[in-house]
Amino acid sequence: MKIEIGCTKPDNFVDRWPGEFHIFSHFEMALGIPHSLFLITTLKENGKSNACFQSWSSFCGDSGGYFAITPLVQTTHTYHNIIRTQEFCINFISAQYFEACYKTITDNSDETDEIAAGGFTPEQARSVNVPRIQEAFLSLECKFHSNNDLSGKGISSLIIGKVLSVAIDSNYLNGSEKKYGKDGFMYYLY
């Protein structure tokens, strides 16, 4: 037996917080497709670090480049910083840092250095003027490539960044057990 779910949110799908199903599709709850969690780092207008705990992304490329494809809510610091500076880093961090990553959500005012708020160590990137996170086992340094308003409602945009450089801990190379075990990628499961 298959359950059919259409484009209209079923009545029994109740917001956990006001506006949840305005920002996120009800399919997110219904489907539970796993995604890697990571921190996107950017710089705020005042020069302070921004760190956005994020998921829902994909990574692919061809001989013309490798690309990070991530949706962002248009009202966030991260979205505005990427549009303004045209650069960002994606930092993959193991689950042992989950609580620290979550602090970047709860302590994210304009005056907050969000990397410091999470207790992370900033690290100079090689190809962009955005800090990487030293505790990350994999960081992708990205230059803005394109932006597309997903629904045309000004809520979520699909940001695509071209990966210019990566930094990976040598213990995580070549499909190592560490990379895919408890010390590797952490996943978002609705």
Side-chain angles (χ1 to χ4, degrees):
M1 176 173 114
K2 292 188 177 181
I3 297 171
E4 303 280 341
I5 302 171
C7 288
T8 303
K9 179 182 77 66
D11 291 338
N12 63 327
F13 282 45
V14 178
D15 288 357
R16 292 176 301 165
W17 42 272
E20 178 181 15
F21 291 117
H22 175 72
I23 294 174
F24 298 108
S25 168
H26 65 282
F27 285 125
E28 180 71 33
M29 178 188 283
L31 303 178
I33 298 169
H35 298 275
S36 294
L37 286 161
F38 49 85
L39 286 171
I40 297 176
T41 51
T42 62
L43 287 177
K44 298 177 187 180
E45 282 191 72
N46 61 10
K48 299 216 183 226
S49 297
N50 176 64
C52 176
F53 199 23
Q54 178 69 17
S55 187
W56 308 286
S57 297
S58 183
F59 307 88
C60 66
D62 56 30
S63 61
Y66 191 69
F67 297 87
I69 304 161
T70 190
L72 288 170
V73 176
Q74 292 180 22
T75 58
T76 64
H77 291 132
T78 304
Y79 174 81
H80 291 285
N81 294 338
I82 290 171
I83 297 302
R84 181 177 43 78
T85 67
Q86 306 280 290
E87 51 190 13
F88 58 101
C89 287
I90 293 178
N91 303 274
F92 290 95
I93 298 172
S94 69
Q96 77 183 46
Y97 295 106
F98 179 82
E99 292 301 323
C101 290
Y102 204 80
K103 285 180 186 176
T104 69
I105 295 172
T106 58
D107 192 0
N108 67 357
S109 74
D110 287 337
E111 296 306 312
T112 300
D113 178 327
E114 295 175 35
I115 290 176
F120 295 109
T121 309
E123 177 177 83
Q124 185 169 346
R126 177 179 169 195
S127 58
V128 294
N129 189 32
V130 173
R132 297 188 310 222
I133 294 179
Q134 186 175 19
E135 291 81 1
F137 64 86
L138 173 63
S139 295
L140 310 177
E141 299 177 14
C142 303
K143 179 169 180 51
F144 175 81
H145 179 269
S146 61
N147 176 21
N148 183 21
D149 185 329
L150 286 172
S151 68
K153 291 185 172 189
I155 301 168
S156 293
S157 277
L158 187 64
I159 296 288
I160 300 176
K162 184 173 185 178
V163 178
L164 301 179
S165 181
V166 300
I168 184 168
D169 183 310
S170 60
N171 295 318
Y172 288 80
L173 289 172
N174 302 324
S176 72
E177 188 174 307
K178 193 165 188 157
K179 186 185 211 177
Y180 301 110
K182 68 179 181 65
D183 294 325
F185 293 106
M186 93 174 108
Y187 296 98
Y188 173 74
L189 301 169
Y190 207 110

